[in-house]
């Protein structure tokens, strides 16, 4: 995890802990403040080894600091259309068991947060949506959503549930030992099921670019499940440091860095999150400026950046053209273990966004050569089901 991503607190006593906190400490994790929580940044093997292990086998992540909630109403259409008043995603078109990555937007088209929205497959939850939001934004997100709910619709926080992720090419093989029915799930689908006898909500998703699962589990059973998974020979615990380098190699945005309330989905290369019907209806927050960006283009764009040399260019590094003109800045930068060198993402003026464009990164007062490259840096290996 790069330095800007650690959210500082005045003292560790102010930090919250996840249900897996004692397990992290017992496993020898280095703990750091992150989004108001005391979280593992790495374990004994270190970030590089953890990153490569996830790419080669299976890594277990604690993401219980993120916010989970149900949005419930009188019927699915009411709940879906309510969420559509806050996001540009086609929520109404979700099939039972399907998941949508979407964005909470402000009135100017800026991104308040990114989130996952799931339509449950279970008939008992037919009038509900399950959402997962980012840890640093969850209190503000939940308050924002609750303030826009119509009568008869409510948001129920799930502070009694942990969230763990099993990611990597061997994740499915391992997970099937405890929940055989999960093996047949498609990417971005979710189902309620027992995992090692524990009632969970399982999604085939994640934020590493690898295949795998995210598992919502009751707080009082989280350690039990984590220990069972960690006892498998393919699985190792993975901290926030490797989680960050994995998502960066996959070209995935980190909220508060690559996207925030000053960036629109089109600038962030997230135009694909805006459904066709939603573009036609133009009734989501910030629709006018966002549709204007689609029609007329943007002044800047999120791009991949490949610095020369071995030293990473961190968040906040200024980007220049060859004539000494500042043209943008880096929003995420790190060493990419799979790539074998430094990688970064950031925003540049649209005239310099073409793949192959040479740029300079100003590091400690000196210009370092780099070039604009296509995202992702490492091909995503999400599980895709063939369409019949």
């Amino acid at each position: 995890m790069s330095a800007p991503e650690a959210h500082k607190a005045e003292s560790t006593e102010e930090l919250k802990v996840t249900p897996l906190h004692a397990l992290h400490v017992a496993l020898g994790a280095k703990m750091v403040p992150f989004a108001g929580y005391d979280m593992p940044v790495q374990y004994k093997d270190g970030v590089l080894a953890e990153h490569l292990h996830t790419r080669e086998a299976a890594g277990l992540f604690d993401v219980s600091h993120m916010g989970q909630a149900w949005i419930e109403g009188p019927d699915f259409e009411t709940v879906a259309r309510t969420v559509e008043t806050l996001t540009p995603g086609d929520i109404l078109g979700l099939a039972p068991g399907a998941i949508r990555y979407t964005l909470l937007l402000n009135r100017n088209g800026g991104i308040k947060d990114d989130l996952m929205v799931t339509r449950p497959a279970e008939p008992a939850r037919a009038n509900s949506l399950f959402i997962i939001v980012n840890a640093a934004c969850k209190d503000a997100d939940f308050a924002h959503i609750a303030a826009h709910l119509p009568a008869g619709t409510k948001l129920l926080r799930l502070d009694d549930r942990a969230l763990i992720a099993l990611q990597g090419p061997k994740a499915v093989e391992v997970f099937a030992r405890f929940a055989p029915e999960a093996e047949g799930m498609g990417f971005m689908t979710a189902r309620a099921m027992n995992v090692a006898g524990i009632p969970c909500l399982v999604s085939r998703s994640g934020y590493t670019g690898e295949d795998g699962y995210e598992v919502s589990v009751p707080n009082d059973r989280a350690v039990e499940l984590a220990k069972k998974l960690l006892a498998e020979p393919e699985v190792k615990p993975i901290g926030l440091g490797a989680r960050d380098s994995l998502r960066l190699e996959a070209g995935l945005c980190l909220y508060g860095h690559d996207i925030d309330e000053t960036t629109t989905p089109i600038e962030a290369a997230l135009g694909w999150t805006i459904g066709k019907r939603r573009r036609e209806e133009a009734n989501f927050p910030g629709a006018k400026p966002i549709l204007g960006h689609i029609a007329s283009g943007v002044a800047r764009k999120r791009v991949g950046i490949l610095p020369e040399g071995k030293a990473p260019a961190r968040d906040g590094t200024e980007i220049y053209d060859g004539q000494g003109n500042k043209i943008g800045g880096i929003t995420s930068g790190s060493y990419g273990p799979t790539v074998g060198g430094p990688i970064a993402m950031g925003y540049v003026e649209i005239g310099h966004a073409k793949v192959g464009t040479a740029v300079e990164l100003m590091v400690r007062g000196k210009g370092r050569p780099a070039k604009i490259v296509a995202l992702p840096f490492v091909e995503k290996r999400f599980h895709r089901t063939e369409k019949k």
Side-chain angles (χ1 to χ4, degrees):
M1 182 177 61
S2 57
E5 292 164 38
H7 293 250
K8 296 181 180 179
E10 292 182 5
S11 74
T12 55
E13 294 178 359
E14 297 175 353
L15 297 175
K16 299 175 184 177
V17 297
T18 74
L20 298 178
H21 185 270
L23 179 60
H24 298 314
V25 174
L27 292 172
K30 177 182 178 181
M31 307 299 288
V32 299
F34 183 81
Y37 284 78
D38 197 30
M39 296 294 291
V41 67
Q42 67 179 68
Y43 297 85
K44 295 177 181 179
D45 290 343
V47 174
L48 177 63
E50 291 172 24
H51 178 113
L52 295 175
H53 181 83
T54 304
R55 289 276 187 246
E56 296 164 0
L60 189 71
F61 301 76
D62 180 11
V63 285
S64 304
H65 55 317
M66 300 184 75
Q68 305 177 65
W70 288 109
I71 301 177
E72 300 179 343
D75 54 72
F76 173 71
E77 182 174 352
T78 298
V79 176
R81 290 196 181 278
T82 296
V83 174
E84 286 188 354
T85 66
L86 305 172
T87 73
D90 181 0
I91 308 303
L92 190 61
L94 276 175
I99 305 169
R100 184 86 73 215
Y101 172 84
T102 190
L103 309 166
L104 279 178
L105 300 175
N106 63 30
R107 66 181 63 183
N108 298 317
I111 302 170
K112 296 177 69 69
D113 200 5
D114 56 343
L115 68 158
M116 294 289 194
V117 179
T118 302
R119 181 180 182 180
E122 296 67 40
R125 287 286 185 184
N127 300 335
S128 305
L129 287 170
F130 176 66
I131 64 172
I132 299 178
V133 301
N134 282 302
C137 308
K138 65 182 178 182
D139 291 335
D141 286 352
F142 289 154
H144 176 71
I145 294 168
H148 290 82
L149 296 179
T153 306
K154 57 186 177 181
L155 181 144
L156 301 174
R157 290 182 61 140
L158 298 176
D159 295 324
D160 61 344
R161 298 187 72 85
L163 190 66
I164 60 178
L166 186 67
Q167 302 280 289
K170 296 185 179 179
V172 175
E173 176 186 343
V174 171
F175 202 72
R177 296 169 194 160
F178 302 96
E181 60 190 301
E183 189 172 6
M185 294 174 64
F187 178 61
M188 292 293 276
T189 66
R191 292 178 62 183
M193 66 181 70
N194 286 333
V195 183
I198 303 168
C200 299
L201 178 60
V202 177
S203 68
R204 194 158 186 174
S205 63
Y207 218 61
T208 62
E210 294 291 333
D211 193 9
Y213 302 94
E214 288 193 348
V215 186
S216 176
V217 55
N219 283 343
D220 59 359
R221 308 291 299 274
V223 170
E224 175 188 350
L225 180 57
K227 285 184 174 180
K228 286 180 182 293
L229 293 170
L230 286 169
E232 298 303 302
E234 301 92 338
V235 183
K236 289 186 178 182
I238 311 296
L240 292 177
R243 180 175 168 83
D244 186 55
S245 56
L246 287 160
R247 69 91 195 167
L248 179 54
E249 284 189 339
L252 301 171
C253 293
L254 176 66
Y255 189 79
H257 293 259
D258 309 299
I259 50 176
D260 57 27
E261 293 209 44
T262 70
T263 56
T264 73
I266 312 307
E267 291 174 321
L270 295 174
W272 55 268
T273 65
I274 307 172
K276 180 181 178 182
R277 173 178 59 84
R278 304 307 314 282
R279 296 186 188 202
E280 293 171 351
E281 293 176 349
N283 57 359
F284 53 87
K288 186 175 181 179
I290 289 173
L291 294 175
H293 280 177
I294 293 174
S296 305
V298 291
R300 61 172 187 156
K301 182 183 177 182
R302 179 173 65 93
V303 294
I305 301 158
L306 196 65
E308 290 187 13
K310 296 183 178 180
R314 302 294 186 182
D315 175 10
T317 299
E318 295 180 341
I319 305 174
Y320 287 79
D321 64 13
Q323 287 71 49
N325 302 305
K326 182 181 174 183
I327 57 170
I330 286 177
T331 52
S332 285
S334 183
Y335 177 80
T338 313
V339 175
I343 55 175
M345 291 194 301
Y347 287 82
V348 296
E349 294 174 4
I350 196 66
H352 301 273
K354 186 178 179 180
V355 169
T357 300
V359 296
E360 278 195 345
L361 310 179
M362 194 59 61
V363 179
R364 298 186 183 90
K366 294 183 179 180
R368 286 183 52 200
K371 64 179 178 180
I372 306 301
V373 296
L375 293 171
F377 297 97
V378 174
E379 184 179 356
K380 299 183 183 74
R381 295 193 283 189
F382 300 138
H383 175 67
R384 304 288 185 181
T385 54
E386 292 185 8
K387 295 182 179 179
K388 296 181 180 180

